[in-house]
Amino acid sequence: MIKQYEEMNEQEKLEWTFREKIVKQKRQPNTTVEVYGKDTGGKFIVGQRGLDGFTHDAIQDIDWALPENQFGYKWNKHGYRGPDDNNGVDIIFAGSSLTIGTGVPYEKSYPHLVSQELNLKHINISDFDTLTDLADSLFNFQHLNPSFVILNDCWAINGVNWLMRFWLKKERNNDTRKIIKDIFYDSNSKVMKLFDLAIKQAFPNAKCFILEPEEKRKFWAYEYELQNIKSVAYAKNDIVDLGRDQTHPGPKTHKVFADKIIKLIKDSKDL
């Protein structure tokens, strides 16, 4: 019998709140799994809207149950999705569940499409919930000396943003709410500034891009003009279809994202 939230003890409430993080499968190298993260295989409903705020306006138009639409999540020898050859890597992709290609076959994901179109070797070390989590792993790959580092907006910028889910929505004192919000945006901006400086030091020969929304999102908001990372902005109307999980963008949207990045890379290389 499933307990109601009100019936749970504090530990059970905590586990329920973070259930997406708890049940998310660990990635075992050299294995393939049928489902991963929010993609549990059977969440799609043709004709229905997306389940997430940033995909809500898109309509599911793919019957993912058809044989030709079947796919799995293949982890390479390092436990990542995509190529596993680190020699002569041109692009490092690092981002959230979007960049790992949740909900779509990897060959339909924007990292694969970008690399294929430009004939550049890549690795994909996604996925991460926050930019600070991402940084911990990304900077371990600086020895690869890539030509490009391509990121995307994560669920949040700072690891402490998880606190906002518990605190702010329950806080009733307006003065306290303002203090929380001011500290939140200030810390996000400072983290972005530090990350912007750090990535230049870690990858001095790379051109860096970040795929992120035009409008501020709840936990992806900052007041700082990036100096070393070029923003690749997307709008809500760029999200035109849905993945198998009814939550993440689908193949056509990944193609839109890929085209935006390809253009900027070509411009930067003067191809």
Side-chain angles (χ1 to χ4, degrees), residues 130-149:
T130 69
L131 184 70
T132 49
D133 291 339
L134 180 156
D136 285 342
S137 293
L138 176 62
F139 295 141
N140 289 329
F141 289 86
Q142 58 186 296
H143 65 281
L144 298 181
N145 192 28
S147 298
F148 302 96
V149 175

Side-chain angles (χ1 to χ4, degrees), residues 88 90-93 109-122 147-150 207 209 255 257-271:
D90 300 299
I91 310 175
I92 296 177
F93 288 93
S109 69
Y110 82 83
H112 178 85
L113 296 174
V114 169
S115 302
Q116 184 180 55
E117 173 67 21
L118 298 175
N119 193 28
L120 296 174
K121 291 182 64 176
H122 82 281
S147 298
F148 302 96
V149 175
I150 300 176
K207 293 181 174 66
F209 303 95
K255 179 65 166 58
F257 292 163
D259 288 344
K260 288 175 178 286
I261 294 168
I262 289 167
K263 183 180 185 306
L264 285 177
I265 289 179
K266 284 184 174 181
D267 290 345
S268 72
K269 294 177 68 176
D270 195 25
L271 293 178

Side-chain angles (χ1 to χ4, degrees), residues 13 39 57 100 140 169 173 232 267:
K13 287 180 178 179
D39 183 9
D57 292 339
I100 204 174
N140 289 329
K169 65 182 179 182
N173 185 290
V232 184
D267 290 345

Side-chain angles (χ1 to χ4, degrees), residues 64-78:
W64 291 101
L66 294 176
E68 61 266 29
N69 292 330
Q70 301 307 296
F71 68 93
Y73 295 87
K74 182 179 180 181
W75 311 127
N76 62 32
K77 66 182 182 183
H78 304 295

